[in-house]
Amino acid sequence: MTADDRDAVTRFLHEADLTLSGLDSPSLRLWIDRRDDEIVGCTGYELSEDRAHVLVRSVAVSPVARRTGRGRELARFALDQAAGDGARTAWLFSRRSGLFWESLGFAHADRDELATVLAGTHQVRLFRRTGQLEREIAWSCSLADHTD
């Protein structure tokens, strides 16, 4: 994502009901998928300060790209990139897409552990500040099988 993409990505993620915090931060790695100049997908993550953990964020596809496998491809891309950046464990928050994440090797995880190892990320800071953290469901998986 470039600075020129920020407004379109913000709209896309808002429509997908995903967290917008930190979209302009260099600590958030974000990729977009375009078709005919329209955003049809997005994926990204934030690394922990020690680079051992990654918080997967902003994985979404537009309605026209759903049920095509593109969401799975985007999620795997982010996981592969994170492993290439040295992360060993991927974490995320999801209250609606558990089956999707389980199909990619994620399992229920301890929300407080996620919030501890990824305390410096925008999403964790936002969720703590707003009280949303207590309502979230955490997931994690090993990145041992993912390569760049």
Side-chain angles (χ1 to χ4, degrees):
M1 179 180 92
T2 67
D4 293 339
D5 298 317
R6 189 171 302 124
D7 289 342
V9 170
T10 298
R11 282 190 304 276
F12 181 79
L13 293 175
H14 177 74
E15 290 172 7
D17 194 28
L18 293 177
T19 302
L20 304 176
S21 178
L23 290 181
D24 58 352
S25 172
S27 68
L28 176 63
R29 298 203 56 202
L30 199 61
W31 294 269
I32 55 175
D33 183 13
R34 289 186 181 271
R35 301 258 166 80
D36 300 323
D37 215 28
E38 292 279 324
I39 296 175
V40 295
C42 187
T43 192
Y45 61 84
E46 288 184 79
L47 281 166
S48 62
E49 290 180 18
D50 66 2
R51 302 178 68 84
H53 304 272
V54 65
L55 181 63
V56 177
R57 293 191 44 190
S58 307
V59 178
V61 294
S62 68
V64 298
R66 290 189 185 136
R67 307 221 184 277
T68 66
R70 191 61 183 143
R72 181 176 306 285
E73 291 172 6
L74 288 167
R76 283 187 177 143
F77 177 83
L79 296 173
D80 290 345
Q81 293 296 311
D85 277 346
R88 295 186 311 266
T89 306
W91 303 79
L92 60 91
F93 293 112
S94 180
R95 290 177 284 162
R96 300 181 300 240
S97 303
L99 292 175
F100 171 79
W101 293 108
E102 283 180 337
S103 75
L104 290 168
F106 281 79
H108 283 275
D110 184 287
R111 176 182 53 228
D112 294 328
E113 184 179 0
L114 181 162
T116 298
V117 298
L118 290 154
T121 62
H122 292 277
Q123 192 172 26
V124 169
R125 290 192 320 242
L126 171 69
F127 286 4
R128 279 190 166 147
R129 187 174 64 249
T130 63
Q132 185 173 337
L133 184 62
E134 299 306 314
R135 297 187 303 274
E136 291 298 325
I137 298 171
W139 301 83
S140 70
C141 81
S142 169
L143 292 176
D145 295 333
H146 292 270
T147 58
D148 191 28

